[in-house]
Amino acid sequence: MGKVIVPVRMWNFSDEQAVLAGRKSPVRIRALIDTGATTNVLSDKLAARLGLVPSGMVRMVLADGRSVPRPNAFGLRVAALGRSAILRAIIDPSRKIPLLGQIFLEDTCLLVDCKHQRLIRDPAYGGEEAYEVFRVVESPGQVQSRP
């Protein structure tokens, strides 16, 4: 299996009205979709280009188990396949290509098609954007989740 790298559009949520009105263009860029990552990671250069302002530090755990402090930013809008999500991103100066993790996939109801190395709309919902919301029902001695 190879890498899944897809075209996306990114902008700062504070620019939302200008982007939607066509007064400002989103950044068109290719991003790595990493199903093993939870959150999103951008280079410091891309974060600056988008006007994202760091708002504190977080610990980023690397694949080799090391943990490193990195700035954290909120208000990243990412769009792909007609879907979009407002996300947070960790800012990593060593990152070459943006990384989008599971939170992006969940928020946009998109899946990775590993065979064809692309994103697809979730076929479980007929390609429609849908969210599963469960309520917890407690019974004596057990807890059940029900839609």
Side-chain angles (χ1 to χ4, degrees), residues 9-142:
R9 294 176 299 126
M10 295 182 173
W11 62 93
N12 188 320
F13 183 68
S14 65
D15 297 326
E16 181 90 355
Q17 293 306 314
V19 170
L20 295 177
R23 295 188 309 271
K24 187 166 188 169
S25 296
V27 172
R28 294 178 186 276
I29 195 163
R30 295 178 61 77
L32 172 67
I33 306 300
D34 185 347
T35 59
T38 303
T39 194
N40 314 288
V41 186
L42 305 179
S43 70
D44 53 346
K45 290 178 178 63
L46 179 57
R49 183 176 171 193
L50 293 167
L52 295 174
V53 178
S55 60
M57 301 291 284
V58 294
R59 307 268 332 146
M60 184 170 76
V61 179
L62 306 175
D64 65 6
R66 288 181 297 131
S67 176
V68 294
R70 292 289 184 259
N72 188 41
F74 294 88
L76 170 66
R77 172 72 85 173
V78 180
L81 292 179
R83 309 270 173 84
S84 71
I86 303 168
L87 306 163
R88 79 178 207 169
I90 296 172
I91 301 171
D92 182 7
S94 67
R95 173 117 318 255
K96 303 284 188 255
I97 182 169
L99 181 146
L100 300 173
Q102 282 293 336
I103 293 172
F104 166 73
L105 295 171
E106 289 290 331
D107 278 0
T108 55
C109 204
L110 296 173
L111 298 175
V112 173
D113 174 356
C114 295
K115 182 177 180 181
H116 298 101
Q117 298 179 324
R118 63 182 181 158
L119 283 180
I120 59 171
R121 293 179 177 97
D122 190 340
Y125 303 103
E128 296 294 320
E129 195 167 6
Y131 298 93
E132 292 178 343
V133 179
F134 294 92
R135 61 186 170 99
V136 175
V137 179
E138 293 187 43
S139 300
Q142 65 183 24

